[in-house]
Amino acid sequence: LYDKNGTVIVSDSTYKGLTLSTDPEDPSYQFRQLLYGTPYVLETEPDEDYLEKPFIYVGSLVTDEKGDPNGFVQLAVDPAFLSKPVESLSKEYVLSTYSGTNSSHVFAVDMQSATYSYHPRKSRIGKAVADYGITQKALRDGYAGYITVRGVKYFCVSAAANSEYVFVVTPASNLLSGIYRISFFTFFPCFAAVCLFYLLLLREFSLSAAADINSGAIEEAEFRSEEVLKVFLKGAIFVFSGVVFIIYILRDKLLPKDSIFSHIMGSVWENGVNLFSITWCVICICSVGFVTICLTTLLLQLGNSASARTKTMSRMLISLIRYAAIIGIVFCCAKKLGVETDTLLASAGILTVVIGLGAQSLTSDVFDGLFIIIEGSFHVGDVISVDDWRGKVLEIGIRNTKLLDLDNNNTKIINNSALKKVQNHSLNPEGIFLSIGIDYDEKLKDIEEIIMREMPVVRDNLPLAVEGPDYLGVDAFEDSAVILMFSVKCRIEDYYKVKRGLNRELKLMFDRNGISVPFTQVVISERDGNEKQTGTSGL
């Protein structure tokens, strides 16, 4: 045992009190490296000039409590006893004694020449590994992934040892049985839990519906159970995706660097259909889906609380984000699963021409939708008329526009290229013109005085009217009536409500003041001998 000054303080030989030489030519000088922090020093050849029997010396550093060099321990080994241990430490001996499960085996590859330096089949030693299907990507320290050798897929792990890469490989087919068992025992409990939850919901709503069976509550209960299940599944998927996304973002802080999750996200494995690529695709779909849902929800809330133009732009951005997310996920996942996406991208120009020629209507819909947004002809929330069909704009998409019928609450989907003759009713208040007839026997001047007196009452009973109602005068003379014209203005959303309300108020006003509204009369005559009977009937 040497102290930190290089002096022997304990020894089982007769040489005590010796100090390391300061002469660089002296064999003991190399052990001074241990005094400066070198972990160990090993002599490769014995000193033949030594007076007594030559030994091979080995030194190992000793440190104090602070970790600073505090001397070293030195062993003297007789070379005659090293032949057997050295032989047992040779590469060929160590690798040949490897015995693994699942038909696994080991081989070594020379770093410089990329040839087999060891293989259980001696015929492969010295041959290039590229000839057997091993790519350059796998030739590195710490590679964990799949390789294909002569048509057989193997899962492998590699490690660098001096000037070689040592691979431990096992056939991928031997791993599937364990994967199937794990998948079964993880999927089955989750599937059973979802089924149990669904059955409990059905039972709960069935019991509640049975209490009101005469009121037709069964269908409503079944509908509510399906809605609750949908909400539950959507929420569960959203939460799961959020957890995956958070783990992905904070993987360096939450997970060790050598974790399997970090290895998967590092994308250092070989592309193809394997466990790593499938797991990477799941993580990618969850992360991109979570971000897409958050962005679309934020844009939707922003659009609902802003102007119509902002709402329209937000809906368009939502469509673009969804399409971009889907296309991005498909290309990225396809590449990780072994699809040559570079070839697909290179042929995108030809594909675009083919689509442009074969799907001209689709292209027209897309461009017309963009022009609608840019020009601002109408926005989400406006009421428009298209070919005598009136509705409220729910969404302006990339390809079509959705309209809601204000009267029947039906949704109509129209391709953007079909929106040629559009009338926007939301720019100004909508005018409603009503005609009502009075009998020729009525005195027009008296009726007009009654109308002017009663009109404030009619206005009070039409709170949704923006302007009016107003009496416009005599509009026409029909065969059996004098036609009076009335008008009122309102928001387009309230068109039918105000129209019906004005009809009602005018009829009530005429009834209160005894003004008769003429109706069609038909005279029926029957001949009975020389007598003639006549009668009238209102239709």
Coordinates of all heavy atoms in Angstrom, one line a residue, residues 5 20 23 99 150 243 384 462:
N5 N 2.2 10.2 -1.2 CA 3.6 10.7 -1.7 C 4.3 9.6 -2.5 O 5.4 9.8 -3.0 CB 4.4 11.1 -0.5 CG 3.8 12.2 0.3 OD1 3.4 13.2 -0.4 ND2 3.9 12.2 1.6
L20 N 8.3 5.6 -5.1 CA 8.3 5.5 -6.5 C 9.5 6.3 -7.1 O 9.8 7.4 -6.6 CB 7.0 6.0 -7.1 CG 5.7 5.1 -6.8 CD1 4.5 5.8 -7.3 CD2 5.9 3.7 -7.3
D23 N 12.4 8.9 -12.1 CA 13.0 8.8 -13.4 C 12.0 8.2 -14.4 O 11.5 7.1 -14.2 CB 14.2 7.8 -13.3 CG 15.0 7.7 -14.7 OD1 14.5 8.4 -15.6 OD2 15.9 6.9 -14.7
S99 N -25.2 -17.9 -23.7 CA -26.4 -18.7 -23.8 C -27.6 -17.9 -23.4 O -27.7 -17.5 -22.2 CB -26.2 -19.9 -22.9 OG -27.4 -20.7 -23.0
R150 N -30.9 -11.7 -43.9 CA -31.3 -12.8 -44.8 C -32.8 -13.0 -44.7 O -33.2 -14.2 -44.6 CB -30.5 -14.0 -44.6 CG -29.0 -13.9 -44.9 CD -28.8 -13.8 -46.4 NE -27.4 -13.6 -46.8 CZ -26.5 -14.6 -47.0 NH1 -26.9 -15.8 -46.9 NH2 -25.3 -14.3 -47.4
V243 N -52.1 13.5 -21.0 CA -51.0 12.9 -20.2 C -49.9 12.5 -21.0 O -48.7 12.7 -20.7 CB -51.6 11.7 -19.4 CG1 -50.5 10.9 -18.7 CG2 -52.6 12.1 -18.4
I384 N -78.4 34.5 -45.3 CA -78.3 34.7 -46.7 C -79.4 33.9 -47.4 O -80.0 33.0 -46.9 CB -76.9 34.3 -47.3 CG1 -76.7 32.8 -47.1 CG2 -75.8 35.1 -46.6 CD1 -75.4 32.2 -47.7
L462 N -94.9 44.4 -30.7 CA -93.9 43.8 -31.6 C -92.5 44.2 -31.1 O -91.9 45.1 -31.7 CB -94.1 44.2 -33.1 CG -95.4 43.7 -33.7 CD1 -95.5 44.3 -35.1 CD2 -95.4 42.1 -33.8

